[in-house]
Amino acid sequence: MSLTEKVDKRAHILAIAETLFAEKGFDGTSVRDIAQLANVNLAMISYYFGSKEKLLEALIEDRAGYTIGIIEELSKNQTLTPWDKIDKLVDFYVEKIFNNFRFHCIMSQQYNHTRSPEIKELIINIKTRNLEQIKKVIADGQKKKIFCKVDIELTMASVFGTLTHVTNSKSLYCRLWKIEETDDVSYRKKITPRLKTHLKQMMRAHLDIKNEE
Amino acid sequence: MSLTEKVDKRAHILAIAETLFAEKGFDGTSVRDIAQLANVNLAMISYYFGSKEKLLEALIEDRAGYTIGIIEELSKNQTLTPWDKIDKLVDFYVEKIFNNFRFHCIMSQQYNHTRSPEIKELIINIKTRNLEQIKKVIADGQKKKIFCKVDIELTMASVFGTLTHVTNSKSLYCRLWKIEETDDVSYRKKITPRLKTHLKQMMRAHLDIKNEE
DNA sequence: GTTTAATTTAAACGTTTGTTTAATTTTGTG
DNA sequence: CACAAAATTAAACAAACGTTTAAATTAAAC
């Protein structure tokens, strides 16, 4: 078997695990579930990853890598105004979370319930680095007297929290807006532009120095 | 054994289960864990509740009852201005979520991962009824030309999402603000006033008709 | 005090869990 | 082809799981 096929197999297991962990939770998913759905022998999971927990760690490491670079670039950019940056941040995170909603789902469960200190550390580090970069964007806008004084950490909590809430409340919104719950595409098409508009509008009012109290 | 003692024992099991479910997740908690920590015989859980899943249902039914009444009363109140109502809603939900953060934690995991249609229905109903009442408050403010046009559902998502995000990101904020993670009291004292201020400020800017675009 | 019902117990039930084993097949290399 | 390494397999492992049993204890009723 060639190297690429081997990588593919590993990646395939990761993808299946991602789906199942997101759907049924880490503890609600057995390695047999994963093996069966991935069409691999049960023992292959230990063979590739060592254990169920290591599989989760591998999944997180694999999926979590790519965000920070984009945000760093954005925060350093000199040609964009702080308002532009906020808009771009909103667009980026909305897209990101809907492209990776399964992974995002796993992150939120693990963040609360993991027994593995390694995984907890991993998640906190990712979140902290994200937060630091965005802090810079808002602080820069404040220094330029464009943004008013706000609680930066909680402002970020509102952005991330809104996103998480919407992805996690899919069943509720599907019922409200009469969308078939199985129809991921329709949901996404309906919700993402709305979400972008809402977050930008809210941030614009919230950060605008003209609205300072 | 008297009736009150029986109720106490049942309630005691529920309380222990609440703690463990919140801490380790439903699937991550065994009925033996619960029985041991509650100092009752393993079989008592089946005896009182029938099954582990029924225990969870009983827990949700027990804890979810009391919110709606207060919100209904508030939304009907004629003497308060829409702004007052928003402030009161924020105060109420911040307090509520920090008084019941364990239950809130269970609700968010179950909302995504429950295999029980009954529990899912239960949660969606609770959320829908809450949303309906708050919709009325915002719609009333809009009718009175005090609030501007906003996406009501997503505005609520921002409020609830912020709250959930803050309670679920305790470890992160504890590290940021240098609080011992075990020190629940300090965390709460630090975060709740800040959260109330932030949410009120954000909602004021977001809803104010003067900021309409 | 006796009888009946409710409660509590220890033990066992059959499954399912994550992981390991040891044998087998496939692969890459000289 | 031959050989070593890697990949894959079916089977087995002990431990933990949710639940049930049947006996023992306590409480309530008469």
Side-chain angles (χ1 to χ4, degrees), chain A residues 73-133:
Chain A
E73 211 174 294
L74 184 69
S75 85
K76 278 182 199 153
N77 190 309
Q78 301 280 354
T79 63
L80 292 169
T81 69
W83 286 125
D84 291 337
K85 287 183 184 177
I86 294 292
D87 282 356
K88 279 194 183 299
L89 271 177
V90 168
D91 287 336
F92 173 74
Y93 276 110
V94 170
E95 286 302 325
K96 192 199 152 192
I97 223 158
F98 277 87
N99 285 330
N100 300 72
F101 72 96
R102 269 178 277 261
F103 178 61
H104 193 264
C105 193
I106 296 169
M107 290 284 274
S108 23
Q109 25 152 326
Q110 281 306 309
Y111 190 73
N112 289 313
H113 301 127
T114 186
R115 277 137 283 155
S116 153
E118 290 84 14
I119 290 176
K120 188 160 193 177
E121 206 55 35
L122 214 56
I123 297 176
I124 292 187
N125 281 341
I126 294 165
K127 288 202 178 187
T128 307
R129 282 161 64 205
N130 263 302
L131 188 62
E132 289 303 325
Q133 293 301 321

Side-chain angles (χ1 to χ4, degrees), chain A residues 1 30-32 42 46 51-52:
Chain A
M1 186 177 271
S30 72
V31 290
R32 280 174 180 81
L42 175 61
S46 294
S51 69
K52 188 188 176 189

Side-chain angles (χ1 to χ4, degrees), chain B residues 1 30-32 42 51-52:
Chain B
M1 184 177 274
S30 72
V31 291
R32 281 174 179 81
L42 175 62
S51 69
K52 189 188 175 188

Side-chain angles (χ1 to χ4, degrees), chain B residues 109 114 204:
Chain B
Q109 22 151 330
T114 188
R204 231 166 282 157

Side-chain angles (χ1 to χ4, degrees), chain B residues 45-107:
Chain B
I45 284 158
S46 292
Y47 181 75
Y48 275 122
F49 301 99
S51 69
K52 189 188 175 188
E53 196 156 287
K54 290 263 183 65
L55 162 63
L56 175 63
E57 275 183 55
L59 179 62
I60 294 177
E61 268 159 14
D62 186 84
R63 299 288 195 268
Y66 85 113
T67 297
I68 263 295
I70 300 169
I71 304 292
E72 251 169 38
E73 210 173 296
L74 183 69
S75 86
K76 277 184 203 152
N77 188 310
Q78 302 279 357
T79 64
L80 292 169
T81 69
W83 286 123
D84 290 339
K85 287 183 184 177
I86 294 292
D87 282 356
K88 279 195 183 299
L89 271 176
V90 168
D91 286 336
F92 172 74
Y93 276 111
V94 170
E95 287 301 327
K96 191 200 154 191
I97 223 159
F98 277 87
N99 286 330
N100 299 72
F101 71 96
R102 270 178 275 262
F103 178 61
H104 193 264
C105 193
I106 296 169
M107 291 285 275

